[in-house]
Amino acid sequence: PRMTAMRFRDLTICIVGTHTSGKSTIGRKLAKLLGCQFDEELGETERDSESLVEGGHLHGDGSSTTTSTSPGQEDWDAFLHGKECERDTLFQDSKSSVRVVETWHIGNAAWYNLRHPAADVERYKIAITKHQESSLVVVIQLMLASPSTMVRRREV
């Protein structure tokens, strides 16, 4: 049988990996090479000093193993998921056809599941499936060379 070319409107390249594995560095370089946008990890961009409130971050810090928050705080995972879905919609509505995104729903789901092993990650699956209706998704998993590399990169 003859294979036909797959047609898609958009391409999302998702880069995932541990802290200091090079997601940002490689993502920026790849986006520049492809001439497309680079979407940084939302967990990094949303943890700004303007979002600090008494007792912590406005949306928590993402390190808790509970989903309870202080009064006025939205659950960090729900907050990031909503922001990621907004970013997906903006991309799909834009004239761009390719983007490189750091972590995305896949990395967010992994981080959530690591802290909540018995929790349901259905919202992430739904978001990814919805995105795949109009976009090809390619996932690049970066592996860290060694623990000493991680320590050295964290010191910079």
Side-chain angles (χ1 to χ4, degrees), residues 86-150:
E86 286 175 21
R87 200 158 63 171
D88 289 345
T89 300
L90 289 172
F91 171 66
Q92 290 170 334
D93 292 345
S94 74
K95 294 184 184 208
S96 300
S97 59
V98 178
R99 73 171 172 165
V100 177
V101 63
E102 180 182 1
T103 305
W104 198 49
H105 296 291
I106 296 164
N108 295 338
W111 178 240
Y112 178 73
N113 190 251
L114 180 68
R115 293 176 292 116
H116 309 281
D120 186 9
V121 294
E122 191 65 24
R123 66 181 170 196
Y124 302 102
K125 293 177 188 176
I126 290 168
I128 293 166
T129 301
K130 181 180 179 201
H131 193 72
Q132 287 177 315
E133 291 172 2
S134 63
S135 186
L136 177 65
V137 175
V138 175
V139 179
I140 299 172
Q141 169 73 53
L142 301 179
M143 305 302 285
L144 193 60
S146 69
S148 62
T149 301
M150 179 184 278

Side-chain angles (χ1 to χ4, degrees), residues 4-149:
T4 59
M6 179 160 62
R7 298 191 189 280
F8 57 91
R9 193 186 113 212
D10 299 323
L11 171 64
T12 294
I13 301 170
C14 172
I15 300 179
V16 296
T18 61
H19 291 289
T20 72
S21 62
K23 299 180 300 288
S24 298
T25 302
I26 292 170
R28 281 188 195 95
K29 288 181 179 184
L30 180 59
K32 184 176 180 180
L33 179 71
L34 296 173
C36 67
Q37 72 187 51
F38 173 65
D39 292 337
E40 292 183 83
E41 178 181 346
L42 283 173
E44 291 296 319
T45 61
E46 294 300 324
R47 270 192 220 104
D48 60 16
S49 59
E50 294 173 15
S51 298
L52 293 174
V53 295
E54 187 175 332
H57 192 275
L58 181 62
H59 305 286
D61 65 1
S63 63
S64 175
T65 56
T66 68
T67 56
S68 63
T69 57
S70 300
Q73 287 184 325
E74 180 181 1
D75 174 63
W76 177 251
D77 300 290
F79 171 76
L80 283 185
H81 178 71
K83 286 287 199 181
E84 206 69 82
C85 289
E86 286 175 21
R87 200 158 63 171
D88 289 345
T89 300
L90 289 172
F91 171 66
Q92 290 170 334
D93 292 345
S94 74
K95 294 184 184 208
S96 300
S97 59
V98 178
R99 73 171 172 165
V100 177
V101 63
E102 180 182 1
T103 305
W104 198 49
H105 296 291
I106 296 164
N108 295 338
W111 178 240
Y112 178 73
N113 190 251
L114 180 68
R115 293 176 292 116
H116 309 281
D120 186 9
V121 294
E122 191 65 24
R123 66 181 170 196
Y124 302 102
K125 293 177 188 176
I126 290 168
I128 293 166
T129 301
K130 181 180 179 201
H131 193 72
Q132 287 177 315
E133 291 172 2
S134 63
S135 186
L136 177 65
V137 175
V138 175
V139 179
I140 299 172
Q141 169 73 53
L142 301 179
M143 305 302 285
L144 193 60
S146 69
S148 62
T149 301

